[in-house]
């Protein structure tokens, strides 16, 4: 038996294995009949047996010279089956609910095509197919709680072994048992006939006696008629809806919320929009809306009253020198609040582009967690749904929220004359532990002044 201390071993990829041993710069080659290796204390032990008897070669391979075997992720031993697993969903998300499968067994899928949707507390995430092939089977079930790395489906790259659905005619034939009436009628015809004749004789021999009339009982009070249970539907809450309800209830339990109101004359802002809407679209490629005007007004008000942009942290108050405006967006799955970061450094066009992009992502369910994280102040526009007046709830951990409402033409006194004006009610809900009524009223008055006269933004007055 020969042993070598400082060796480099190279395993040739062929059926007839050979080992080349290098020692002190000199090489020697030995044909071997068999080859094996084992792992011992982090090192690999390589053993080769020569075709000649009583000749064995043993080498200790250091880990830095070991060539590991390469394996494909999510693949089975055969190489044809691929597992589709739940992807990483974010640092703050540990699990989610398998909302629904977009594909069924037997369906063809392409690489990176969505086969299922995972619903989390904040966003909906797609599970993409790692390979092109055919769905062989679905491992998980809809409604289950899954974690990153959980296998939910098996994909066959060649399409072999995929179960085929049985024809509907065969399923009906095999699943429906024969009617029970036919079973009972077989071999029992004479019994039924005899029984009916005996009953007829009993009726003639013993005629029935009239039953004694029972004493009449007082009528029972009528019970309320409830709707039938068949008219009700029980649907489990989505994770997003549960998250929103929890945060709103925590907001009510934590903050000392108070709401102050004011009204805004929208005449000048509507005229500004009407005069420049075509030129705005032609230059910037996005429509000019009212939200950009209110965002700029909120930025100006936050700069005048920085306490509204602050937040309570334990026994301290944190003042933020940056302004990130959150915009509440209602989607079919629930309320989401994307953030326009550094709003104080944007113009009207940049704000409108950000709002348009985030709103489309929120409606499509493709908005990311990073796009909703943070925010120092929130604006909620219930006027798009026709709301005349409401008291919004603070979006924690922020300290205030601005509520916009519908524009209604009302008679107003202007210069001693009663004239029709497009008016909007605005509301500010704030944390009274941090913000006093004086600051809240001044904040809302600043928004009113800027919206009614946008030229203040140019002059900074």
């Amino acid at each position: 038996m020969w042993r070598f201390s400082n060796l480099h071993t190279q395993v040739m990829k062929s059926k007839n294995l050979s080992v080349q041993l290098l020692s002190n710069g000199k090489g020697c080659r030995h044909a071997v009949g068999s080859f094996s290796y084992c792992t011992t204390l982090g090192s690999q032990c390589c053993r080769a047996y020569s075709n000649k008897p009583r000749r064995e070669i043993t080498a200790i391979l250091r880990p830095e010279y070991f060539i590991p075997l390469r394996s494909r992720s999510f693949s089975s031993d055969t190489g044809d089956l691929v597992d589709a697993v739940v992807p990483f969903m974010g640092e703050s998300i540990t699990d989610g609910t398998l909302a629904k499968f977009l594909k069924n067994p037997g369906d063809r899928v392409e690489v990176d095509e969505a086969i299922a949707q995972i619903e989390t507390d904040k966003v909906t995430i797609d599970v993409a197919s790692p390979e092109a092939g055919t769905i062989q089977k679905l491992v998980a079930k809809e409604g289950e709680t899954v974690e990153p790395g959980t296998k939910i489906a098996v994909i066959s790259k060649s399409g072999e072994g995929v179960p085929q659905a049985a024809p509907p005619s065969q399923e009906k034939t095999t699943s429906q048992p024969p009617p029970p009436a036919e079973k009972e009628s077989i071999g029992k015809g004479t019994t039924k006939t005899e029984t009916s004749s005996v009953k007829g004789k009993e009726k003639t021999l013993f005629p029935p006696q009239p039953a004694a009339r029972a004493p009449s009982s007082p009528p029972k009070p009528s019970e309320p008629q409830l709707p039938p249970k068949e008219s009700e539907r029980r649907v489990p809450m989505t994770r997003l809806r549960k998250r929103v309800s929890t945060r709103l209830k925590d907001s009510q339990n934590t903050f000392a919320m108070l709401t102050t109101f004011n009204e805004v004359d929208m005449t000048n802002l509507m005229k500004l929009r009407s005069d420049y809407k075509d030129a705005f679209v032609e230059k910037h490629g996005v429509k000019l809306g009212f939200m950009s005007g209110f965002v700029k007004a909120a930025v100006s008000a936050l700069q005048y009253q920085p306490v509204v942009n602050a937040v309570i942290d334990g026994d301290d108050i944190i003042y933020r020198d940056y302004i990130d405006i959150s915009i509440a967006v209602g989607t079919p799955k629930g309320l989401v609040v994307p953030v326009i970061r550094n709003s104080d450094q944007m113009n009207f066009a940049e704000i409108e582009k950000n709002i348009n992009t985030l709103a489309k992502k929120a409606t499509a369910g493709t908005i990311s967690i990073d796009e909703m994280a943070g925010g120092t102040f929130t604006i909620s526009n219930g006027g798009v749904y026709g709301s005349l007046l409401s008291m919004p709830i603070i979006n924690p951990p922020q300290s205030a929220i601005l509520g916009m409402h519908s524009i209604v033409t009302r008679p107003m006194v202007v210069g001693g004359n009663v004239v029709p004006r497009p008016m909007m009610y605005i509301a500010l809900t704030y944390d009274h532990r941090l913000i006093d009524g004086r600051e809240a009223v001044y904040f809302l008055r600043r928004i009113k002044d800027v919206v009614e006269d946008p030229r203040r933004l140019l002059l900074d007055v």
Side-chain angles (χ1 to χ4, degrees):
M1 182 174 64
W2 300 337
R3 296 184 183 274
F4 298 88
S5 57
N6 296 324
L7 313 172
H8 291 184
T9 303
Q10 180 181 4
V11 180
M12 307 300 295
K13 294 183 178 179
S14 63
K15 293 184 179 179
N16 299 324
L17 298 177
S18 64
V19 179
Q20 182 179 1
L21 305 179
L22 303 178
S23 177
N24 298 326
K26 298 180 180 180
C28 58
R29 184 181 302 273
H30 298 273
V32 297
S34 61
F35 178 83
S36 64
Y37 74 92
C38 60
T39 302
T40 305
L41 298 177
S43 301
Q44 280 68 32
C45 176
C46 178
R47 176 167 296 175
Y49 298 93
S50 173
N51 290 330
K52 297 181 180 181
R54 300 181 65 183
R55 179 169 292 183
E56 178 183 341
I57 304 172
T58 302
I60 303 299
L61 306 182
R62 290 184 294 176
E64 56 267 26
Y65 300 124
F66 179 66
I67 305 174
L69 297 177
R70 302 181 66 181
S71 60
R72 184 179 179 84
S73 301
F74 313 127
S75 298
S76 63
D77 295 336
T78 61
D80 179 61
L81 301 181
V82 182
D83 296 337
V85 300
V86 178
F88 176 71
M89 297 181 288
E91 295 182 358
S92 60
I93 300 178
T94 58
D95 58 12
T97 300
L98 180 57
K100 63 178 179 179
F101 279 102
L102 305 178
K103 299 291 182 179
N104 297 318
D107 292 348
R108 176 73 182 177
V109 293
E110 301 298 332
V111 179
D112 295 332
E113 184 178 359
I115 62 177
Q117 288 184 341
I118 306 297
E119 191 176 77
T120 66
D121 298 342
K122 300 179 180 179
V123 293
T124 300
I125 299 173
D126 292 335
V127 179
S129 173
E131 295 286 348
T134 306
I135 302 291
Q136 187 186 60
K137 63 178 179 179
L138 304 178
V139 179
K141 296 181 180 179
E142 293 183 355
E144 288 186 354
T145 300
V146 293
E147 299 177 354
T150 302
K151 181 172 68 173
I152 65 169
V154 178
I155 300 172
S156 175
K157 292 188 287 186
S158 63
E160 298 179 357
V162 177
Q164 300 294 333
S169 58
Q170 296 181 1
E171 293 180 357
K172 292 183 178 180
T173 306
T174 57
S175 61
Q176 293 181 354
E182 296 180 0
K183 292 182 179 180
E184 296 178 357
S185 61
I186 299 175
K188 295 184 180 181
T190 56
T191 306
K192 289 185 177 180
T193 306
E194 294 176 358
T195 304
S196 61
S197 61
V198 172
K199 289 183 178 180
K201 292 180 181 180
E202 291 178 354
K203 289 181 180 180
T204 55
L205 295 177
F206 305 100
Q209 298 295 329
R213 177 175 291 181
S216 60
S217 58
K220 296 182 179 180
S222 59
E223 298 180 355
Q225 297 294 328
L226 300 177
K229 295 295 183 181
E230 291 78 9
S231 302
E232 300 177 352
R233 292 184 297 113
R234 183 181 295 271
V235 179
M237 292 178 65
T238 61
R239 296 178 70 95
L240 178 59
R241 176 60 59 187
K242 288 190 290 187
R243 179 65 174 172
V244 170
S245 62
T246 301
R247 286 177 61 86
L248 293 180
K249 190 57 183 175
D250 291 343
S251 177
Q252 282 188 328
N253 297 336
T254 303
F255 299 140
M257 288 191 291
L258 186 62
T259 305
T260 182
F261 301 92
N262 212 320
E263 58 182 357
V264 178
D265 188 348
M266 299 289 292
T267 301
N268 292 330
L269 186 60
M270 293 177 67
K271 186 177 185 304
L272 177 68
R273 179 190 183 192
S274 176
D275 292 343
Y276 296 101
K277 62 179 182 180
D278 295 335
F280 193 87
V281 173
E282 183 178 355
K283 181 176 181 179
H284 302 290
V286 64
K287 294 182 179 180
L288 176 61
F290 294 134
M291 282 299 299
S292 57
F294 276 89
V295 170
K296 295 293 290 184
V299 168
S300 177
L302 290 172
Q303 291 173 343
Y304 270 71
Q305 300 294 332
V307 68
V308 183
N309 201 46
V311 65
I312 293 178
D313 184 16
D315 295 333
D316 301 326
I317 299 176
I318 300 177
Y319 289 90
R320 275 83 69 98
D321 296 330
Y322 59 93
I323 298 177
D324 293 345
I325 303 294
S326 303
I327 306 295
V329 179
T331 67
K333 295 184 179 180
L335 182 68
V336 295
V337 191
V339 181
I340 304 176
R341 307 198 184 279
N342 299 319
S343 304
D344 53 326
Q345 302 176 12
M346 294 184 180
N347 55 27
F348 282 78
E350 292 172 338
I351 293 174
E352 290 291 350
K353 290 178 181 179
N354 275 269
I355 293 176
N356 189 30
T357 302
L358 294 174
K360 288 182 178 179
K361 288 184 177 182
T363 304
T366 59
I367 192 168
S368 65
I369 299 174
D370 295 337
E371 292 172 325
M372 295 188 296
T376 61
F377 183 77
T378 298
I379 299 178
S380 176
N381 186 9
V384 296
Y385 308 111
S387 173
L388 179 64
L389 188 63
S390 65
M391 294 187 297
I393 298 178
I394 298 174
N395 178 27
Q398 300 173 12
S399 300
I401 180 173
L402 174 68
M404 299 168 53
H405 300 90
S406 59
I407 302 173
V408 179
T409 302
R410 297 198 300 269
M412 304 297 295
V413 178
V414 179
N417 299 320
V418 178
V419 294
R421 291 286 191 176
M423 304 299 295
M424 174 193 289
Y425 287 122
I426 56 176
L428 178 71
T429 300
Y430 57 97
D431 186 2
H432 209 349
R433 301 176 304 165
L434 175 64
I435 305 170
D436 295 331
R438 174 177 173 270
E439 286 80 7
V441 172
Y442 283 168
F443 179 90
L444 211 56
R445 281 295 303 270
R446 179 62 184 178
I447 290 181
K448 172 182 172 66
D449 294 340
V450 171
V451 173
E452 290 184 345
D453 189 3
R455 294 174 299 178
R456 288 177 175 270
L457 296 174
L458 299 176
L459 303 176
D460 192 17
V461 294

